[in-house]
Amino acid sequence: MIILKDSEENIKKAAEVIKKGGLVAFPTETVYGLGADATNPEAVAKIFEAKERPYFDPLIVHIANKADILKVAQSPDRRTEFLIERFWPGPLTVILKKRENIPDIVTSGLETVAVRMPSHETALSLIRESSTVVAAPSANKFSSLSPTTARHVFEQLGNAVDFILDGGQCLVGIESTIVKIEEDSIKLLRPGGIPKEAIEDCLSLEVVEMQQHLKVEAPGQLDYHYSPQKPVVLVDKIPVDDNNAGFLFFTKPSFNIPLDRSFILSADGDLREAAANLFLALHFLDSLDIKRIYAQRLPEKGLGLAIMDRLKKASMKFKNFS
Ligand code: AMP
Ligand code: MG
């Protein structure tokens, strides 16, 4: 596998790989994606193999122009159009009735498809140069920490990828928000980079958070996900006297902390900065010689909802298996 800077020339090379049915890891504003031609079932199968992702977990299809939504899905309803107008390109995924050219392997046999137009220039150029639409989940092993740098991808996917385009650190740092608009409700299937409140403001309608285990529309969502190897314990107050632990602080504490085993998400409590640093912090703490990671709870408002969703899922892994 090769890691290459996301220059124009390398993006063209990567697009050739996608056209030939190969896999390319590339930066988006959310996390690094593992992309394949979404209209080629064999290429998409390679994504599932590389990630060891169960086939019942459907993928998001990425497009490079708003109008290309019609290459993937049937015409969006008026409210979905509104959201697209407001939030694309960006970290919002919408669920729509799929078109026939999208193979079942992409949608796990569902009649619907998840679609997003990313804002990262490299992602957009890669999709355009590939002359197709690109299925791309996060470029990590299933249920492990999401990658926000090219190095994270390299560490997890070893030789399973043909090409990694390096575009530096992802600016949003957590996955897209997924919404499904139905006749009488707007469902939040996954909190993410666009806050729920922003969607509610845009539509002047309440967005209903779906309980993960009730979420029949999104069969792939397990209770644990985004997990480091080390157990994660969510706490209100970090117990800094535990010598075998690493510490994930939301803001800068007023007391002394072991700096070599601590990560502060945002010194002055900025949720955007905290989201951008979240996976970087968890990758860092997971690499230390410690037994557990304590993570400080943060307010579940705005981007805090998505950050806490990731932390709760990370902490579920050992609850489920212990
Ligand atoms: P990711 O793993 O970030 O690529 O996100 C994929 C997630 O999108 C899946 O785990 C599902 O939760 C959701 N998803 C994808 N396709 C659909 C769909 N057709 N209906 C509902 N949720 C979907
Ligand atoms: Mg993922």
Side-chain angles (χ1 to χ4, degrees), residues 57-72:
D57 194 1
L59 305 178
I60 297 172
V61 178
H62 293 69
I63 59 176
N65 299 296
K66 287 183 189 172
D68 286 351
I69 200 165
L70 296 177
K71 290 186 180 165
V72 177

Side-chain angles (χ1 to χ4, degrees), residues 111-249:
E111 298 276 291
T112 52
V113 61
V115 196
R116 176 168 107 82
M117 178 180 171
S119 63
H120 199 295
E121 280 306 325
T122 302
L124 291 171
S125 310
L126 176 68
I127 301 166
R128 284 193 191 114
E129 292 287 338
S130 307
S131 314
T132 185
V133 290
V134 172
S138 50
N140 58 327
K141 291 281 186 194
F142 180 69
S143 91
S144 298
L145 287 177
S146 299
T148 52
T149 65
R151 178 131 297 272
H152 293 160
V153 179
F154 182 75
E155 281 162 9
Q156 284 201 42
L157 289 181
N159 290 322
V161 182
D162 296 310
F163 213 118
I164 302 177
L165 282 174
D166 186 349
Q169 193 187 335
C170 302
L171 287 181
V172 174
I174 42 174
E175 291 80 355
S176 60
T177 301
I178 307 180
V179 289
K180 185 174 188 195
I181 300 210
E182 295 186 337
E183 207 121 291
D184 51 358
S185 69
I186 303 163
K187 291 181 175 160
L188 182 71
L189 300 186
R190 175 174 75 186
I194 299 286
K196 172 179 169 239
E197 294 87 338
I199 296 169
E200 292 181 325
D201 280 354
C202 176
L203 295 179
S204 298
L205 284 169
E206 190 195 350
V207 173
V208 185
E209 274 174 57
M210 300 309 291
Q211 295 288 331
Q212 302 291 336
H213 60 281
L214 297 176
K215 214 172 48 180
V216 282
E217 293 97 329
Q221 290 288 25
L222 294 176
D223 285 341
Y224 65 94
H225 218 108
Y226 315 113
S227 307
Q229 303 299 317
K230 311 254 161 49
V232 173
V233 188
L234 267 173
V235 291
D236 290 317
K237 191 168 177 303
I238 299 258
V240 271
D241 51 351
D242 184 339
N243 293 325
N244 289 314
F247 307 118
L248 182 63
F249 289 92

